[in-house]
Amino acid sequence: MTQRSEFDDIRAHITAEGTHSGDLLRIARELLDDLEQVRMREATLRTYYLALLTASRASVAAQAAGSDEPLLFVMHELAKHGQLPTGEEVSRILADATAAQALLASMGETPAPPRRTGPSSSRLRRCVGMSRSLPH
């Protein structure tokens, strides 16, 4: 799949003088292939998301209706994709979920201003003159 830096390289190549139409056609084909792969992946992810959303809603509805096993729908969907936690995974998944909730909560907080560890001029000197060169 085409990375962000590759798009920059493609733009530079297209705007360069002396670019041959064959090169542009090759680039266009590669981009179309990448686009098709991304669209297929998006469709697959949307399908997975819809299935999980439907199972989650059905589980909540089953709980509201007083079902003996309200999580059955979610468990079935997870098992279908080999994602049903068992054994040692249970503790790790619960710990990960707790950490994720804490991280999301901290993202809503105002970050502290960055600390300055030295004179700002030394930072500036390190950055001056740095540039990225594109392959030709």
Side-chain angles (χ1 to χ4, degrees), residues 5 8 45 49 63 66 70-71 80 92-93 100 103 108 114-115:
S5 62
D8 294 338
L45 290 174
Y49 171 78
Q63 182 182 21
L71 292 178
K80 190 165 60 172
R92 183 183 51 80
I93 289 170
L103 180 61
R115 296 182 319 166

Side-chain angles (χ1 to χ4, degrees), residues 5-67:
S5 62
E6 291 176 297
F7 283 120
D8 294 338
D9 294 344
I10 290 168
R11 282 189 188 97
H13 184 75
I14 289 172
T15 58
E17 291 184 29
T19 301
H20 301 287
S21 60
D23 290 342
L24 295 178
L25 185 58
R26 180 185 51 79
I27 290 170
R29 285 185 179 132
E30 287 176 11
L31 290 174
L32 286 173
D33 289 344
D34 286 351
L35 181 60
E36 183 64 28
Q37 288 177 3
V38 167
R39 292 186 77 189
M40 291 299 293
R41 184 174 183 155
E42 179 188 13
T44 301
L45 290 174
R46 284 179 182 265
T47 301
Y48 290 159
Y49 171 78
L50 182 58
L52 282 170
L53 178 62
T54 302
S56 298
R57 293 185 70 196
S59 290
V60 170
Q63 182 182 21
S67 173

Side-chain angles (χ1 to χ4, degrees), residues 44-115:
T44 301
L45 290 174
R46 284 179 182 265
T47 301
Y48 290 159
Y49 171 78
L50 182 58
L52 282 170
L53 178 62
T54 302
S56 298
R57 293 185 70 196
S59 290
V60 170
Q63 182 182 21
S67 173
D68 293 336
E69 292 188 63
L71 292 178
L72 187 64
F73 299 102
V74 172
M75 291 171 63
H76 172 73
E77 193 60 36
L78 291 174
K80 190 165 60 172
H81 297 286
Q83 296 295 317
L84 193 61
T86 58
E88 295 176 8
E89 288 180 311
V90 173
S91 298
R92 183 183 51 80
I93 289 170
L94 290 173
D96 289 349
T98 302
Q101 285 179 335
L103 180 61
L104 288 174
S106 71
M107 288 177 65
E109 299 172 4
T110 305
R115 296 182 319 166

